[in-house]
Amino acid sequence: MEWTSLVGTVVGAVVTTASAVLPDRRRRHRERGERETAVRRALYAEYLAVLAEARTGCAVLARDTGRDPADRFTAAREVFAPCERLRYQMAVTAPPVLVEAAHTAHRRLRDFRDRVIEGALEHEPRYRESTAAFNEALAELRALMREDLLGEGAVR
């Protein structure tokens, strides 16, 4: 057997194997990225929903002028509690810039909750200021989430 035919066979086998393996590797990489994006999308949606629910719950409490302060305290903390679990999920799943924005929105919502616990009513400046601060932080968080999911900008 000649060396040239043996080398030609080996080179052909390497080329054939490489042409089968490389597209499969790219496909697995693409599918992994798609799965990670789907996980982040579901988490982001859930986090935004729980923030909105807590904000609405606190707003309802602020309208209830006849509520006992101790009951208002308990109710406001219960409304806010689900935000904690998802904030920690965000911390391990999202890119650092998004984690910081989520933390900021969380703090602003907590400040709003605290104003409600203190007895702030919806027509008072301290209520409106804390609501505006939360809405601003929430808008920033949503924009960063959108950038991350759509691949726009340098979120990562």
Side-chain angles (χ1 to χ4, degrees), residues 13-32:
V14 168
V15 167
T16 302
T17 302
S19 66
V21 168
L22 288 177
D24 189 50
R25 184 173 181 200
R26 285 188 197 122
R27 180 184 52 79
R28 282 193 316 255
H29 181 71
R30 184 185 69 249
E31 288 173 353
R32 179 178 172 211

Side-chain angles (χ1 to χ4, degrees), residues 53-81 112-122 127:
E53 289 169 7
R55 191 249 177 256
T56 300
C58 287
V60 168
L61 288 171
R63 286 186 211 108
D64 187 358
T65 58
R67 190 177 284 253
D68 175 62
D71 184 37
R72 177 187 293 257
F73 174 83
T74 302
R77 292 183 62 84
E78 286 174 358
V79 164
F80 186 74
F112 173 61
R113 178 209 62 191
D114 292 346
R115 296 306 76 78
V116 170
I117 288 173
E118 293 166 358
L121 301 175
E122 63 184 336
Y127 176 94

Side-chain angles (χ1 to χ4, degrees), residues 56-108:
T56 300
C58 287
V60 168
L61 288 171
R63 286 186 211 108
D64 187 358
T65 58
R67 190 177 284 253
D68 175 62
D71 184 37
R72 177 187 293 257
F73 174 83
T74 302
R77 292 183 62 84
E78 286 174 358
V79 164
F80 186 74
C83 299
E84 294 295 329
R85 176 183 58 85
L86 290 172
R87 183 173 63 102
Y88 291 117
Q89 286 183 7
M90 288 287 292
V92 298
T93 303
V97 67
L98 239 161
V99 171
E100 183 57 38
H103 187 62
T104 299
H106 183 268
R107 282 192 313 261
R108 297 299 172 262

